[in-house]
Amino acid sequence: MDPKQFEELKENLWDFMKTEIYPNELRHIKEVKDIRSNGPSHWKQPQIMFELREKAKARGLWNLFLPVDSAQLAGRKGGGLTNLQYADCCEIMGTANHAEFA
């Protein structure tokens, strides 16, 4: 991805973190706690994760780890990032406990 596109992607990712991920951290913790209280055989993804995934997809923030060529082979859309660019995105996503799953 060219540098200008990548800067726009990072701005989009930071905005997603600020508007969607950080405000839902407590909800995520509560939903995980509620699920765990039913015992390990009842594990499922918290509802907030399904909601955040759809929002991430709509903003083009889904499957960032997939290079374009691998994504095409899998019939999916990938991020088209270099390893270094993806590392920058991981640093941003690593600022919240549940961001990597959204």
Side-chain angles (χ1 to χ4, degrees):
M1 178 177 290
D2 75 56
K4 185 176 187 284
Q5 286 178 305
F6 182 58
E7 287 306 313
E8 291 171 0
L9 177 96
K10 286 197 310 185
E11 287 175 20
N12 185 16
L13 181 56
W14 271 120
D15 184 64
F16 184 72
M17 296 294 291
K18 291 173 188 173
T19 60
E20 301 293 343
I21 299 295
Y22 301 143
N24 284 298
E25 285 183 320
L26 293 178
R27 179 179 167 192
H28 179 263
I29 290 168
K30 181 188 179 319
E31 288 183 8
V32 168
K33 184 178 177 183
D34 291 346
I35 292 166
R36 286 182 177 164
S37 70
N38 293 321
S41 63
H42 292 86
W43 176 251
K44 61 182 181 177
Q45 287 285 317
Q47 181 59 38
I48 185 63
M49 297 313 301
F50 295 102
E51 296 168 20
L52 290 172
R53 275 189 204 126
E54 292 307 311
K55 291 178 180 183
K57 288 177 185 179
R59 291 178 70 154
L61 298 172
W62 188 248
N63 286 342
L64 292 178
F65 64 92
L66 281 176
V68 173
D69 57 349
S70 298
Q72 287 173 344
L73 288 172
R76 300 176 185 264
K77 183 176 185 235
L81 305 175
T82 66
N83 284 343
L84 185 58
Q85 289 171 330
Y86 182 63
D88 278 358
C89 293
C90 287
E91 284 188 21
I92 295 168
M93 292 183 287
T95 62
N97 185 33
H98 63 290
E100 66 185 277
F101 301 109

